[in-house]
Amino acid sequence: MANVLIFYISLLLILPCVESCLTPKYLYVPVSRTIPAGYKVTTVNVADCDVKSLHLTLTDQSFTINTNGEIVALTRVYVPARGRTFSVLAQDDSGPENEMEVHLVYSPLQGKVLSDQRFLKRSKRRWSPPPFNLLENDPGPYPKQIEEIVSDSAAKHRVYYTISGPGVDSHPVGVFSLDPNSGMLIVHRAIDREEFPVFTLTTRVFDKGTKQETDLPLDIQVLIDDVNDNTPEFSSPLQFTVLEHSKAGTVVGKVNATDRDKKGTLHVKIKYTLLTGLDLFAINPETGAITTVTNTLDREIKDKYLVTVKIKDFDGAVQGLERTGTATITLGDINDNPPTFTKASYEASVKENESEKLILRIPVEDKDLINTPNWISKFVITKGNENGNFRIDTDPKTNEGLLYVTKALDHEQSKNVKLEVMARNEAELSNTQARWQSIPVDLTVTDVDEGPEFSAPTIRFTVKENTPNGTLIGRYTAVDPETKSSNDIKYYKVTDPASWINVDRNTGELRVANTIDRESQFVQDGVYNITMKAVDASSKTGTGTVIIQVEDVNDNIPTVPTSELAICEKEGALGSVVIVAEDKDQSPLSSPFTFSLPPDSDDKWSVTRINATAATLAHTKDLPRGLYKVPVVIKDLQGHGGIQTATVRICQCRNGVCLAEDRSVSLGGLALLAMLLPLALLLLLCLLLVFFCVTKRDKLEFEDTGDSGGVLLKSNTEGKGDEVDSSLITVPTIGVDQITKGSVKDVNAGWPGIKSTSTLGGQSVHGNGINKSCVDMQQFYSSQYDQYDQYGTQQFGGQFGQLGSQVLNSGFDSRHLVQDSAFLHTWQTNGRYLHQKLGYLGTEEDGRYADDIIHAYGFEGVGSAAGSVGCCSDFGDNDNLDFLNTLGPKFKTLADVCTKT
């Protein structure tokens, strides 16, 4: 080892500085296995360099270099058995960048030297020193031992080691392993630095007996050293554009390339080279910027160039890896070619009086890029268009010039027109000595037979409004342009919106036809227009416009709006409102206005002008709420005016609006309809009630034939009854006393076994002897009496004889009732009869009437005003009528139902 060290030292002294300011080109430095942070590794000789402009850099970031050439370790560095290599790069103003390779060679002798320098200080952690370095893609053989990891606790314990982390038990699994007994770290396969640049492994040590850790866990870093195994690649498309005729040195574009190897090393230092196109382009070897070397690039000759670019790492050294690519350089267009005409001059003809008509196409050629501002033509008429009779456009498809006549020409005034047309581009000319071109255009105006022409296209007359009808305004005449004569020309109105003017057909005189009103809607800014037409003998026409300037006269007085003005009532204060007047006349025939009250005003109001058109109207006394018509005298500046009535409402307000007005405003058409609809429904209901009542009365009203004379009376039957001959019915004579004291059975004895069908109050009643099925006689009498009480005696009329006979004589024919004129001749007699009878019945026993009143009466339908009769009881021999006392007092009024005789 001593001989090896002497060899290295001799080599350092012998190697001279040949061409570079860094000497030697390769430097070998013996070091120990671990270099502590702050240790000065070596000093590089920079004596031959320009110290003022010198810039030194290192490719290994674990070290730094001072300006005097000293290389110092920044961190703790591990040197593997095969050594460690990095480069020193130097750049000064005296020449190109220089490089020196520094090889750190492991030497056991250096351990003592480093200890003597006291840089290696024992740390508290009692483990072997990390990290370890492995060369990427090492060919092997595998497995390969790296280094032993030994804990100081092995001196006191029988220990074993474990390891974990990426490369052991996590991705990528199986790269490393650790001998548990010796602590030897082993690698099992090659590693790609671009995929795994570093591995951090965790090592633990345990006592074999107790299985307890004997030292703290240790994190070990395995650094993968880079080798130049990646070829540089282009990182962006090789497509560039540069304008034609650019100056030499103009940047075309920049070639971008990348290398996957370790940053900061020569493995990624790329050198750029052009292999073709060197006569036109150049490339910066360090930045990859492509520039032009000539200003003769012409797009119209060649618009695209293909050049080959080579990129090579290791700064282009022989051992570097390279790649080539083809760059496409396209020349951009500039406007270095003006448009050129295909002919030296052009001729065309145009008819007089024609307008907006294409008369000529002018083609041009341009070498610049099509459909760009450098190619698109723009034509200008530089001479001959002083009157604006022409315009020239560009056809967007063919790039031709389109010459139009826009204003009619007159053959009699000019038979020939000479124009000059220039062709330009939208873009200005650039980098050329050429100029815009112009050509002459000769136009011939051909003659046509024309219609008459008015003396001027428009004529103006001033007329005061309200001018009397028939007043002459003026004359508007025309002449034939060919003969310059007005003979045989007729004049007509084309438009006259308000029919204010009459035109004399032969002379063209204009007269007032109707009252001219300056305030009319047909007058705009005091101007009223009519259009006239002149027609010659050949029916050709010419038109003109008559402008009538209407002068104002003071024919309007100031007025105020007719709408209500609201004065909001305020407690303890008098209100006011602003009235605004308007006058349709113009100044000075209108505002400023004067406001005053009539001489006969009642001193309840006052008026004060606040500006030219408005005044304040205020009440001077407390006035009740309501609507007031206040006369106000308003006059214009000329004193022309009169009394105007201002409608003012004094009211309670909410937000400045009268409450009543607010409510009225809220009622729309639908609200009014909703209010009227209930009234209409109520009216319809009343009509229906009247109809039903009249109909019901017609059904229940019976004809009162007066004294029946003891014959059968018609009942209000719902169907046609059997006609009975009155001579066949024998009417017994029964006295009042007999009926009062006797029983109902005795009264009924005169008509034994008679079947009866009767209509009582709209209900049909049937009787056939004695019917035991109906026992509720009290309910029957009570219901009959209630119905009588409801409708009254006037409605029942002569039905009482029928009803009373049915109550007292349930067995006889109820359809034809026989009344004895001896006791039914008046209403009073029947009333006294019933009262006497009822008093007698009240003294009888309960069983007196049981056999006499049970009779059945059928129900003939619904709708009767009297309701159903129900059923009757069968009276027995018992004369006791006490049950009548339980029927209530209303039953006594049945006496009023007797038919008047």
Side-chain angles (χ1 to χ4, degrees), residues 441-461:
V441 178
D442 193 1
L443 296 176
T444 300
V445 182
T446 60
D447 187 26
V448 295
D449 187 12
E450 302 172 277
E453 294 181 352
F454 280 98
S455 57
T458 61
I459 190 170
R460 182 182 295 267
F461 298 107

Side-chain angles (χ1 to χ4, degrees), residues 592-607:
F593 303 136
T594 58
F595 299 85
S596 62
L597 294 176
D600 57 348
S601 62
D602 53 4
D603 297 331
K604 295 181 180 179
W605 299 87
S606 66
V607 62

